[in-house]
């Protein structure tokens, strides 16, 4: 079992729809969770961070964390073509480094 | 502007050659990291350093070496022992090492694409 798992996609959604990206992790002791967006050939940029169970909203983005089920998700409302990118889930392990998933490629078509 | 600077953007390595990737940050961050990304893959940790003159191996340290002589600099050397070095290399830094408090986020440089001639 991978430490952080994501569906590689691509996930295709029409413009204006809600995109739902999911991530599961294996270490129950994980404490912090991050979503990064990465455009092709570029470095990752932080979209959201979440530390406690429940939802956290920031503009069109909502991160959801369920520690009991060991999953974290990212919802993107009113998806735009500019949201087309790879979304990386990262989980803090052992408090000194992040473990990244392989990423989910999102395609938003007009 | 504060940030992380990686150089060069593109680097070519000949067989048997060691090459060094530069990473400099002026964010006054204590922790610095090197990740490797292969096409269609996530990021894998090579080395990380939480304080000057100290560093730890990540998950794929074989064939790589690092130094941390200054707080702002964390160069990565890809040695001839690394038989499959072609990848996108990312340097990152964070304020603290624990990454559990709300201000302890990972910031990335723009990356170096290393290819083998």
């Amino acid at each position: 079992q991978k430490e952080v798992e994501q569906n590689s996609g691509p996930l295709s959604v029409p413009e204006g729809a809600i995109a739902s990206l999911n991530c599961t992790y294996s270490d129950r002791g994980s404490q912090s969770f991050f979503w990064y967006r990465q455009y092709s050939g570029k470095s990752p940029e932080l979209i959201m961070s979440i530390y406690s169970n429940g939802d956290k909203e920031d503009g069109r983005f909502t991160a959801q964390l369920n520690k009991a089920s060991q999953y974290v998700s990212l919802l993107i409302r009113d998806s735009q073509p500019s949201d087309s990118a790879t979304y990386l889930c990262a989980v803090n392990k052992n408090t000194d480094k992040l473990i990244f998933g392989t990423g989910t490629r999102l395609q938003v078509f007009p | 502007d504060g940030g992380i600077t990686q150089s060069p953007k593109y680097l070519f390595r000949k067989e048997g050659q060691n090459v060094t990737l530069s990473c400099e940050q002026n964010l006054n961050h204590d922790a610095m990291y090197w990740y490797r990304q292969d096409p269609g893959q996530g990021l894998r940790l090579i080395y990380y350093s939480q304080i000057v003159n100290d560093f730890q191996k990540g998950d794929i340290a074989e064939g790589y070496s690092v130094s941390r002589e200054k707080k702002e600099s964390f160069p990565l050397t890809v040695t001839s022992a690394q038989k499959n070095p072609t990848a996108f290399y990312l340097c990152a830094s964070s304020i603290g090492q624990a990454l559990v408090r709300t201000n302890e986020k990972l910031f990335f440089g723009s990356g170096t694409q290393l290819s083998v001639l």
Side-chain angles (χ1 to χ4, degrees):
Chain A
Q1 181 189 10
K2 291 183 180 177
E3 293 175 291
V4 179
E5 292 206 56
Q6 296 181 254
N7 188 319
S8 61
L11 172 66
S12 294
V13 300
E15 184 174 357
I18 296 175
S20 178
L21 303 161
N22 299 310
C23 171
T24 59
Y25 60 94
S26 60
D27 187 348
R28 283 194 172 275
S30 299
Q31 300 182 53
S32 48
F33 307 84
F34 304 86
W35 283 99
Y36 284 83
R37 178 176 63 197
Q38 186 177 28
Y39 293 110
S40 181
K42 303 296 184 183
S43 60
E45 56 178 322
L46 184 65
I47 299 296
M48 292 284 288
S49 58
I50 188 166
Y51 304 90
S52 54
N53 277 332
D55 295 0
K56 179 183 178 182
E57 186 175 319
D58 183 2
R60 295 187 296 114
F61 299 98
T62 299
Q64 300 174 317
L65 176 61
N66 184 323
K67 288 188 177 181
S69 300
Q70 294 176 241
Y71 83 79
V72 55
S73 61
L74 179 70
L75 300 178
I76 306 175
R77 289 181 299 281
D78 188 24
S79 295
Q80 302 297 310
S82 60
D83 293 326
S84 298
T86 296
Y87 289 80
L88 299 167
C89 172
V91 176
N92 167 267
K93 179 182 176 183
N94 296 334
T95 74
D96 61 0
K97 55 184 179 179
L98 288 183
I99 303 298
F100 284 81
T102 55
T104 297
R105 190 157 62 93
L106 173 66
Q107 294 177 336
V108 181
F109 55 92
Chain B
D1 289 334
I4 304 173
T5 302
Q6 287 188 243
S7 62
K9 188 173 177 65
Y10 299 98
L11 185 60
F12 297 91
R13 193 192 88 167
K14 295 179 181 179
E15 189 174 345
Q17 184 182 42
N18 293 352
V19 293
T20 297
L21 285 61
S22 171
C23 179
E24 304 277 334
Q25 55 99 357
N26 60 4
L27 300 167
N28 200 33
H29 284 175
D30 287 317
M32 297 187 73
Y33 310 79
W34 275 106
Y35 286 90
R36 167 179 172 144
Q37 187 176 34
D38 293 279
Q41 301 296 314
L43 280 64
R44 291 186 291 166
L45 184 63
I46 305 172
Y47 268 99
Y48 61 108
S49 169
Q50 297 163 347
I51 196 170
V52 174
N53 292 323
D54 188 39
F55 47 83
Q56 287 78 42
K57 292 182 179 180
D59 300 317
I60 55 166
E62 187 174 350
Y64 300 96
S65 66
V66 293
S67 63
R68 187 84 187 277
E69 297 176 0
K70 298 185 295 182
K71 185 176 183 178
E72 57 270 23
S73 179
F74 191 40
L76 173 74
T77 296
V78 183
T79 74
S80 57
Q82 173 49 248
K83 298 305 180 186
N84 184 22
T86 297
F88 188 49
Y89 289 85
L90 286 159
C91 178
S93 70
S94 63
I95 290 176
Q97 62 194 45
L99 296 173
V100 294
R101 290 184 279 277
T102 56
N103 64 338
E104 290 176 344
K105 298 176 176 58
L106 211 59
F107 294 90
F108 286 92
S110 57
T112 294
Q113 176 64 49
L114 175 62
S115 302
V116 176
L117 287 176

